[in-house]
Structure formats: structure tokens, C-alpha cells
Amino acid sequence: MALRHVVVGTAGHIDHGKSTLVQALTGIDPDRLKEEKERGITIDIGFAHLDLGDGLTVGIVDVPGHERFVKNMLAGVGGIDLVMLVIAADEGVMPQTREHLAICQLLRVRGGLVVLTKADLAEPEWLELVREDVRGALAGTFLAGAPLIAVSAKTGEGLDRLRETLAILARAVPPRSTDATFRLPIDRVFTIRGFGTVVTGTVAAGQLAVDERVEVYPHGLQAKVRGIQTHGRPVPAAVAGQRAAVNLQGVERAAIARGDVLGAPGLLRSTGSVHAACELLAAAPAPLRPRQRVRFHVGTSEIMARVHLLDRDALEPGQTGYVQLRLEAPVVALPADRYVIRSYSPMVTIGGGALLDVAPPRMRRGPGLLARLRTLEQGAPAAVLEAHLEAVGAGGTRTADLRTRVPFGPHALRALLDELVAAGRVVVVDREWYVHADTVERLRAEARAALAAFHAREPLKAGMSKEELRTRLGGLDERVFLALLERFVAGGVLVVDKDKVRLPEHAVQLTGDQQAAYDRLDEEFRTAGVVPPTLDEAFARLGLTGPGAQAVGQLLVENRRLVRIREGLYFHAEPLQAAVERVVAFLRERREITPQDIKDLLGISRKYAIPLLEWLDAQRLTIRVGDKRVLREPPPARTG
Ligand SMILES: Nc1nc2c(ncn2[C@@H]2O[C@H](COP(=O)(O)OP(=O)(O)OP(=O)(O)O)[C@@H](O)[C@H]2O)c(=O)[nH]1
Ligand SMILES: [Mg+2]
């Protein structure tokens, strides 16, 4: 039999008998605070567990009904699978009956049942009226048609039926996905003498085992799991859907609070802004207006936020729209997480919905943003992933980063990335680093346009330097740039020659005059041999002027007819080659050469000799020893 992990929460108006019912069902009093016992009301959430037989134990979260403690109620129902909506038979539907029901509806609690408590206080006819009243209140909600069971904690009437019904509902709760990153929104922190810090909560996703390392988000605190308990018993691991108490080693109790999230280290993201779909309850007292300050509840946290409407100027009660929530403190959440908003004053629940984006890109309000939000809300997983890859643009993104912003687990992410790469929708630029194909296409067009402009401006230059092209493309990350360059070259889009990039169709085209100047300059340097003029001297002697002359000179350098020996000093390649051969022969013979030797050998002055020797060093042909040079490679051993 598959193990089921189910958490049931209570809900309902103050004094309707929620805690009494939990105690009658489980024998555990969920009210643990002294003040709760004294005042006879629940203030904060309490916990119990119920053995339903056949290995099925459900966790129970009991919530307060008082309107001032809805905030605590919200921390409790965030992780529940089923709700027991408790309505006192003698009072019927009351304000927090409706508010709690609305909250469960906004949070998309899967299902549940309605318990009419204090049945011993109601006449059968009255009970019938209450039943009808309740059916009316549930119409159109997720509890319409749910079982409705009258019980009395006092007489025990109806409790067996309630247990049976709970067992049926609990067994029908589908198991949670195992493909998810571990996280547990913390609802309680305390210390136990001799053990230290303990946090509790419902495991929202993934699993956690003893001895594993965890992070307390959003503070970035690292800790080790010393022990785990579920339903009061030590266990080696806890999985999604279970209530768990986790004993942490390495963090102080004071450093953690309700609302923090226990998670796998480094695999969650905290954010100060989210994009979301927002439903304003039909019962909300007023429209939601731009920049309205609200209380934002997600997981077990409550944070103040400002609402920015993305698709209209006011959200009317009963309407659903897209919003940005700018948070006054960071939260840790994932898209598809459900949230609730309450108005600042009066403190009433006004709406909620699903998070769509926990790392929203800077985008203006407009059709582009709306299309993106629609995709995030309704699109297939691959489309959602593409939307994120598109939004990050040319910098691309890594798998680990994507993992913190998609509404599916790491295995699904891996499979989708592979699929998109195979389909050519996404380009791999490095290990686990991706750029969207549309972005690559845009960069390809930009690179080609930049090069076309460059060639038109500099027809005598072979190409643009790689570094300049990288700058032209918005200062692309170096690794992304090189990966894309390689891709473009392989695709015949660009040609790379040494550190120059050009369009494949570009060739240096000389006019008749330019060709003549080129040839004369070439000849001038060739005949000058190892005592070449400067470029300017050569231009002057040949009567060449202006930028055209410079470009022709540059072309001789690019074509390797002229070799730059040092700043402003160029040798023609042919006499240079002959000189190098003579120097090497000299060195083979004599093993070393001094500046004076090279002056005598080539018949040149110090002005040429020193730069030439330094150039030979730079070419790694020779190596300097004192004021002499020797060959870098030892000469072949002489025999005989
Ligand atoms: N006669 C009768 N009284 C009940 C029954 N269940 C609860 N009560 C009484 O109703 C009062 C309120 O019960 P609680 O269980 O504290 O109500 P609650 O819904 O937990 O209240 P909050 O947590 O403060 O919202 C207590 O005095 C209970 O003894 C019942 O089935 N029959
Ligand atoms: Mg109570």
C-alpha cells in the first residue's frame, strides 16, 4: 500500500468548536498556549494527528477563528490538503466562516468537508434550516457538494461517520510530486533543552533526511538536520505533505521566525517583487487601486506589499487581472504558489491567486508583458521555460537559476531543456548555460549589421577586432560571445581570421590608384631592406597623403608584407626573413650574438639592431643572456 501523507486543516468562525472537535477526534488538545486555555479561544495554530487505520495517519492543523488572528490562520492552511469547515449548528454561517472559506478557495485547497458542530444544541428542524443555509453559502465554491456531517463533541454523535469520511477523502488525495526541490515554510520555532533549535511546518515539496544540510531562507543561514519528527515520532526523513519538526544544528532560535523557509541550500530564490494573477473577491469592499498597500501572504509569511496593476487601472470586486506585488521584505516562493492579499485596514481578505514570476524582468506595462504573463499562466511547460529564456536575453541563464523560477521540478526542467535544445529553440553556450534561439538570431543579425557597416566604413581593413564586435553586441559575456562566434563561423555567417572578424563576402578591394600606391610602398620597403624608413618617410618620398595612404600602409601590415618590429618601425617581410636566416646561421655557428655582432653582420646601426634583437626575443627565437642572445633551441649536436 502506498504511503499517504495528508494534512487536514480546520476552518471556521470563532467558538464554533474547531479545537473541541480536534480534541474529540484525536485526544490531543491543539490549544497549547496558557492564554488560549485561560481565554477559551485559539490564538495561534495548533497541531494534532489522527490515526485513520491501515497505516494512514493524517496531520491536523487547528486554526483560530477570531477575526484578529486570520493572519495566523493563513500560516496554518498554506500547506493543507483538505479542510474541515466547522460551523456551529446553533449559529450557522458567520463572517469568518465565509472568510476562511474564501481563503481556502483562493489557496486552491483541493477538497474537504463541512462539519456542523454542537448538533446537541440544535433541534432537528433547525438543523435542517442550517444545512440549507450552509449549502447556499457553499454554492459555487470548491466545497459545493462536499460531505456535510453533523456532530456533537459532547455526545460523540457523528464522530465515527466523520472519521470514516475523512479516511475516504484522505485516501483520495493524490500523492505529491517527488520531482521537486525540498522546501518547508516554517510555522513555528522553539528550542528544546539539550537539542537546540526546532522548526516545524508542512513539507511543501521534495524531501529532507537527517544529516542533510539545509538553508534558512531568506537569511542565507546554513544548518544541519540533527533530527526529524513527524506526529511526535523520530523518523529518518520527511516528505512532501507531511508535518515535520526539524531539529537544526548550527542556527540560533532567535535568527529564525515564522514565514522563513527551510530549503535545499542554494536552490531557492528570495525576491522583492513578483508578478501574479490576482482575483479580487466579489465580496471585497472596494476595487483594488494602483499602488494600494496590502498584506501579502504566501507560505507561512505575511509581508506588506504595494500592488501595481499591470492590465487595467482598477481591479473591481469579482475581477481577475495581472499584478506586480512590490514587497517590503524578501519572500521565498516559486511560481504556481498560491497567495492571499488582505487590505491594510480594515484587515479583511480581499483576494489572491497564483504567483507567475518570482524574478520578473524589467518590462513596461503593455502587450509584450501581457503576452508573457498569459504564457506563464496558461502556457505549456516548454512555453513557460522559453518565456524565461527569452526574458534573460543575451546574457543567457544557467540551469540552477532556472530551477528557482520555474513551476516544475528539476527532472522536468532537465527534460524540457534537452527537448528545446534538440528542437533548436535554445542554444547551449556552455555547460548548463543557455541562450534562447530568438536571442541568438537577433545577435546574429546585429553582428552582421555591425560588420557590414564596418566594411563600408573601412573597405581596406580585413575585419573588425573580436573585442570590438563583442562591445558592439552590448558587451556580451565573454563565454557567451565566443560560443556564439564559433557557432556563427561554423554556420558560415562570419569568418574569423586571427583576431579579426569579417563577413564571408567581404574582400579588400583596391582601386587602381590604391593598388599602385600599395605596390610602390611594398617596393619601397622591400628595397630598403634592413634599414627601412618610417611609414611617414615612405609616404612623403612617394608623394602619398591622407587617410588613404594610412589605409594602404595598414593593408600591407595586415597582408603581412610589412612586419611591425616595434612602435613605428616596420620591416618588409622578405629582407626580414633573409636577416633572420643570417642571424640564426650566425648563432648556430657561434652560439651567441651581441648587438655589435648583429650590427656588423647586417651592416645596420644600433637604431635598428636593438629593436631587431628584442623582436627576435619576442618571437621566442632567441633568449637574452646578459647583453647577448642565444638560440632558444639548443643547436643540433655536432658529430665527428
Ligand atoms: N454543547 C456543545 N458545546 C460545544 C461543542 N463543541 C464545542 N463546544 C463548546 O464551544 C465552545 C468553543 O469551542 P472551541 O472548540 O474552543 O471553539 P473554536 O472553534 O476552537 O474557537 P476558536 O479557536 O477560538 O475559533 C467551548 O466552550 C466548547 O466547549 C459541542 O459539540 N457541543
Ligand atoms: Mg480553537
Side-chain angles (χ1 to χ4, degrees):
M1 189 191 68
L3 271 180
R4 278 293 141 80
H5 302 292
V6 177
V7 178
V8 178
T10 61
H13 199 72
I14 185 165
D15 251 2
H16 277 202
K18 297 180 289 297
S19 303
T20 307
L21 178 65
V22 170
Q23 177 147 27
L25 282 173
T26 67
I28 301 168
D29 181 1
D31 286 334
R32 61 204 147 77
L33 305 176
K34 194 163 148 258
E35 197 188 343
E36 290 177 325
K37 310 246 192 237
E38 281 169 9
R39 291 169 63 184
I41 62 164
T42 303
I43 294 168
D44 203 357
I45 43 181
F47 309 96
H49 47 89
L50 176 60
D51 186 351
L52 290 171
D54 285 342
L56 177 66
T57 302
V58 301
I60 294 185
V61 179
D62 181 44
V63 308
H66 197 297
E67 62 176 321
R68 274 188 46 218
F69 306 133
V70 173
K71 163 191 164 126
N72 293 339
M73 179 268 180
L74 273 157
V77 292
I80 66 173
D81 299 289
L82 299 169
V83 65
M84 280 197 292
L85 183 63
V86 171
I87 302 171
D90 58 338
E91 258 193 352
V93 174
M94 295 292 282
Q96 269 61 56
T97 314
R98 294 185 191 279
E99 186 171 14
H100 285 194
L101 177 63
I103 286 170
C104 290
Q105 174 98 11
L106 288 169
L107 293 177
R108 294 288 184 271
V109 172
R110 236 185 299 266
L113 48 76
V114 181
V115 187
L116 290 180
T117 48
K118 309 194 189 181
D120 55 286
L121 297 181
E123 298 297 324
E125 301 82 51
W126 175 254
L127 208 56
E128 218 26 67
L129 289 176
V130 173
R131 274 178 191 274
E132 251 162 62
D133 184 33
V134 169
R135 287 281 175 225
L138 299 178
T141 75
F142 73 108
L143 287 182
L148 206 159
I149 300 165
V151 306
S152 166
K154 206 168 180 185
T155 66
E157 172 202 341
L159 288 179
D160 284 341
R161 230 195 104 208
L162 175 54
R163 267 194 210 92
E164 281 160 27
T165 312
L166 270 177
I168 292 168
L169 292 175
R171 284 184 211 287
V173 170
R176 303 207 191 186
S177 163
T178 52
D179 177 24
T181 302
F182 166 74
R183 58 188 174 126
L184 175 152
I186 295 169
D187 53 35
R188 228 154 41 106
V189 197
F190 50 89
T191 47
I192 294 182
R193 194 169 309 161
F195 287 93
T197 307
V198 176
V199 299
T200 70
T202 303
V203 182
Q207 63 170 310
L208 181 70
V210 173
D211 285 338
E212 281 180 351
R213 299 210 61 84
V214 282
E215 182 169 336
V216 180
Y217 294 85
H219 316 294
L221 301 170
Q222 305 281 322
K224 194 178 150 190
V225 178
R226 184 191 272 176
I228 304 175
Q229 289 197 355
T230 62
H231 308 317
R233 278 191 299 272
V235 288
V239 303
Q242 273 184 314
R243 287 227 30 104
V246 183
N247 183 198
L248 295 177
Q249 190 179 339
V251 278
E252 293 295 318
R253 185 233 168 285
I256 312 176
R258 171 177 292 173
D260 294 345
V261 175
L262 196 65
L267 294 178
L268 297 172
R269 164 196 299 271
S270 71
T271 181
S273 160
V274 294
H275 282 167
C278 182
E279 173 194 345
L280 193 65
L281 293 174
L288 193 60
R289 270 178 302 275
R291 297 190 42 75
Q292 186 170 330
R293 200 154 175 253
V294 297
R295 299 166 191 277
F296 171 74
H297 295 261
V298 71
T300 53
S301 71
E302 180 201 33
I303 282 165
M304 298 305 303
R306 279 201 196 274
V307 181
H308 292 259
L309 302 173
L310 299 177
D311 60 353
R312 64 195 75 209
D313 295 323
L315 189 64
E316 302 292 332
Q319 286 185 338
T320 298
Y322 292 127
V323 299
Q324 180 183 31
L325 291 151
R326 295 199 194 146
L327 313 171
E328 293 178 16
V331 295
V332 175
L334 279 168
D337 282 1
R338 304 291 307 187
Y339 71 94
V340 163
I341 53 172
R342 308 187 75 222
S343 63
Y344 182 66
S345 176
M347 276 205 281
V348 289
T349 301
I350 56 172
L355 299 185
L356 300 177
D357 199 345
V358 295
R362 287 176 193 280
M363 275 175 89
R364 303 183 146 276
R365 263 177 68 150
L369 179 56
L370 294 188
R372 171 181 167 79
L373 292 170
R374 230 167 276 130
T375 301
L376 295 184
E377 186 181 24
Q378 298 155 12
V384 170
L385 186 52
E386 277 198 58
H388 286 302
L389 284 154
E390 272 170 16
V392 294
T397 183
R398 293 169 179 280
T399 314
D401 184 58
L402 283 168
R403 193 166 158 174
T404 66
R405 60 162 77 177
V406 293
F408 35 82
H411 291 114
L413 175 61
R414 171 85 273 138
L416 285 166
L417 280 170
D418 291 348
E419 236 171 67
L420 290 175
V421 170
R425 299 298 300 150
V426 168
V427 171
V428 184
V429 290
D430 201 354
R431 252 193 90 231
E432 303 293 340
W433 194 345
Y434 305 90
V435 175
H436 193 267
D438 291 351
T439 307
V440 172
E441 187 49 49
R442 172 173 63 75
L443 291 169
R444 181 207 319 264
E446 280 178 22
R448 284 195 57 96
L451 287 172
F454 180 84
H455 293 322
R457 202 166 60 240
E458 304 276 6
L460 296 188
K461 288 212 170 138
M464 184 191 277
S465 80
K466 282 186 194 171
E467 198 46 35
E468 185 178 347
L469 182 60
R470 188 169 80 85
T471 311
R472 289 292 158 104
L473 295 178
L476 213 54
D477 177 280
E478 185 131 10
R479 253 173 300 179
V480 174
F481 174 73
L482 290 177
L484 293 185
L485 199 59
E486 199 174 297
R487 187 181 176 85
F488 295 159
V489 168
V493 177
L494 307 174
V495 174
V496 172
D497 191 4
K498 292 220 165 155
D499 77 321
K500 295 284 194 292
V501 190
R502 63 175 167 86
L503 293 177
E505 58 270 30
H506 173 72
V508 175
Q509 286 288 345
L510 297 181
T511 62
D513 286 353
Q514 285 168 336
Q515 187 63 54
Y518 182 95
D519 293 342
R520 286 169 67 205
L521 204 55
D522 182 68
E523 187 57 18
E524 180 74 18
F525 273 90
R526 201 173 62 76
T527 51
V530 289
V531 287
T534 66
L535 272 169
D536 284 341
E537 283 164 359
F539 292 150
R541 200 168 309 157
L542 299 173
L544 302 172
T545 52
Q550 294 290 346
V552 167
Q554 202 50 48
L555 190 56
L556 279 162
V557 176
E558 263 162 29
N559 290 346
R560 298 188 195 93
R561 297 292 293 167
L562 292 187
V563 179
R564 185 178 172 282
I565 299 298
R566 74 151 58 151
E567 183 72 48
L569 179 62
Y570 296 89
F571 276 42
H572 192 280
E574 287 173 18
L576 178 63
Q577 180 58 29
V580 169
E581 279 163 18
R582 290 180 67 190
V583 171
V584 170
F586 184 95
L587 280 164
R588 291 256 152 82
E589 184 75 27
R590 311 264 283 268
R591 302 197 137 237
E592 54 186 42
I593 192 165
T594 66
Q596 189 56 48
D597 291 337
I598 198 168
K599 278 158 73 179
D600 296 343
L601 180 70
L602 301 176
I604 55 175
S605 68
R606 195 176 167 76
K607 176 180 150 194
Y608 296 105
I610 300 300
L612 194 55
L613 282 171
E614 283 169 0
W615 180 80
L616 288 167
D617 292 343
Q619 299 303 300
R620 308 177 71 77
L621 221 67
T622 55
I623 192 159
R624 185 172 175 165
V625 182
D627 70 336
K628 298 172 181 147
R629 261 79 179 177
V630 295
L631 274 180
R632 215 170 231 278
E633 290 169 354
R638 296 219 170 173
T639 50

